[in-house]
Amino acid sequence: MEPYETIPPQKIHCYTEYDVLKKVIVCQPQYMTIRDVINETQKHFKNEGIHIEKALEQHNQFVDTLRQNHVEVYLLPYHRKYPEQVFTRDIGFVLGETIFVADMASKVRNGEEEVLKRWLEDEEISYYNIIGHQIEGGDVIIDRDRIYIGLSDRTKKEAIEQIQKLLNKQFEIIPVHFHEKYLHLDCVFNIVSPDVALIFPGALDQEHIGKLKERYELIEVTEEEQFTLGTNVLSIDNRKIISLPVNKKVNEALRNHGFEVIEVDITEIIKSGGSFRCCTLPIERESTKN
């Protein structure tokens, strides 16, 4: 009798924010609502509320765009008790070939980790579960052998120290201080190529900005476009980026730097405080680093 064919586990591989995106985890905003105000964007839209049908339509368009660009999209199951589950980036992050499940700081998001863990176990993907030291994926940005981790209300230094020990000097961990009102590091900083990054300088001190300038050409985002999360773009291919149509200055600057910008409208979703990077948990990017 021929043996049953076994299904190999999913490949986990992310060494940058900009290599070719192959596989990503998302979650539809079926029950998205502003329950606890987390940043200035949510504060602004709290009384207006969120039109769920429109948010779902925009999310579907975003998913279609990813699939049209040859990205495999995996949908996590949604639950009524998790109003911010659409932001899958925060509940986990991949560093090299290890996926970490986060320890969520906000009570409104406690339990989202269990949904991710169940999915990973069903897919036979091993993971490291961070317990007791708060960290969220929106604060974690990887660029080859360097990992920038924002120190925020959601991510504490003890978690950074734990990750440093676990990675055993494979990567250089660089803590980044920024103004806490911006919630996550990717709301004010994002790396889009080996030598270009987006930054909202109003959120970081000059010392940190100076160090980043030594490594990247920084495209500065205005305060107006930070509010519409101009740094929170998603790189899906070499110099190909998904961005919001309303962030015209960011998009023009990216195009002037040789990037292809695909504009997708998810303005209903950003009312809840996150954009494209927040809405995606990449688990595989194609790169030359092994």
Side-chain angles (χ1 to χ4, degrees):
M1 181 181 292
E2 292 293 324
Y4 290 109
E5 182 180 355
T6 58
I7 300 173
Q10 300 290 351
K11 182 179 180 182
I12 300 298
H13 186 97
C14 288
Y15 282 87
T16 75
E17 304 293 332
Y18 48 79
D19 284 325
V20 179
L21 183 60
K22 306 297 288 186
K23 298 176 182 177
V24 69
I25 300 172
V26 305
C27 186
Q28 292 177 300
Q30 184 68 48
Y31 297 110
M32 188 174 70
T33 185
I34 301 174
R35 190 177 298 172
D36 297 323
V37 172
I38 59 172
N39 61 13
E40 292 300 311
T41 307
Q42 273 201 358
K43 183 179 179 180
H44 180 82
F45 291 110
K46 181 170 177 57
N47 292 330
E48 180 178 331
I50 294 167
H51 192 293
I52 294 298
E53 186 176 341
K54 185 175 181 181
L56 285 167
E57 181 182 336
Q58 291 181 348
H59 193 269
N60 288 339
Q61 182 185 2
F62 174 42
V63 169
D64 287 344
T65 301
L66 290 170
R67 288 175 172 156
Q68 289 163 13
N69 283 274
H70 315 294
V71 181
E72 290 185 45
V73 180
Y74 299 93
L75 294 171
L76 284 184
Y78 48 76
H79 296 271
R80 186 182 300 275
K81 58 185 175 181
Y82 305 133
E84 295 179 18
Q85 203 177 5
V86 66
F87 302 131
T88 54
R89 176 75 64 156
D90 298 326
I91 59 176
F93 49 92
V94 175
L95 300 177
E97 295 172 20
T98 302
I99 184 164
F100 292 83
V101 177
D103 185 353
M104 308 296 283
S106 173
K107 289 182 179 180
V108 75
R109 304 200 65 178
N110 289 163
E112 290 183 38
E113 311 97 317
E114 299 304 318
V115 179
L116 175 60
K117 285 191 286 186
R118 281 195 295 271
W119 184 87
L120 293 170
E121 289 161 7
D122 288 344
E123 294 293 321
E124 301 181 11
I125 299 174
S126 61
Y127 58 88
Y128 188 92
N129 190 191
I130 299 173
I131 299 174
H133 300 302
Q134 292 173 348
I135 186 168
E136 295 185 0
D139 282 321
V140 183
I141 297 175
I142 185 170
D143 189 10
R144 303 298 179 195
D145 58 352
R146 292 188 176 192
I147 300 168
Y148 299 88
I149 304 182
L151 283 161
S152 68
D153 280 347
R154 302 296 183 94
T155 297
K156 307 305 180 185
K157 67 177 182 178
E158 291 81 8
I160 298 176
E161 291 167 358
Q162 182 184 15
I163 289 175
Q164 181 71 83
K165 291 177 183 176
L166 290 168
L167 295 176
N168 196 25
K169 299 182 179 179
Q170 181 185 0
F171 299 89
E172 178 187 3
I173 307 292
I174 303 172
V176 180
H177 296 266
F178 65 99
H179 197 293
E180 62 185 21
K181 77 173 185 177
Y182 296 105
L183 189 64
H184 288 131
L185 182 61
D186 63 8
C187 294
V188 295
F189 175 67
N190 197 1
I191 300 168
V192 294
S193 80
D195 51 9
V196 178
L198 297 170
I199 192 169
F200 172 59
L204 290 82
D205 62 35
Q206 289 303 311
E207 179 182 356
H208 279 90
I209 294 172
K211 289 179 179 178
L212 292 171
K213 279 183 178 179
E214 294 174 4
R215 186 172 176 90
Y216 304 102
E217 181 178 356
L218 299 179
I219 296 175
E220 294 191 1
V221 175
T222 65
E223 185 173 4
E224 178 185 20
E225 292 195 355
Q226 187 287 319
F227 179 77
T228 47
L229 300 169
T231 63
N232 205 262
V233 300
L234 179 69
S235 296
I236 59 171
D237 205 334
N238 292 319
R239 306 186 80 81
K240 184 184 288 188
I241 290 172
I242 298 179
S243 182
L244 284 170
V246 296
N247 292 327
K248 298 182 184 300
K249 293 177 181 177
V250 168
N251 297 343
E252 181 182 9
L254 287 168
R255 291 183 175 116
N256 289 340
H257 281 76
F259 292 89
E260 177 184 349
V261 178
I262 302 172
E263 296 185 356
V264 178
D265 184 9
I266 60 166
T267 46
E268 198 66 23
I269 292 172
I270 75 163
K271 289 180 179 180
S272 198
S275 191
F276 297 107
R277 189 178 189 274
C278 295
C279 289
T280 51
L281 171 49
I283 58 173
E284 183 184 346
R285 287 186 181 271
E286 188 177 80
S287 71
T288 56
K289 187 174 178 69
N290 297 315

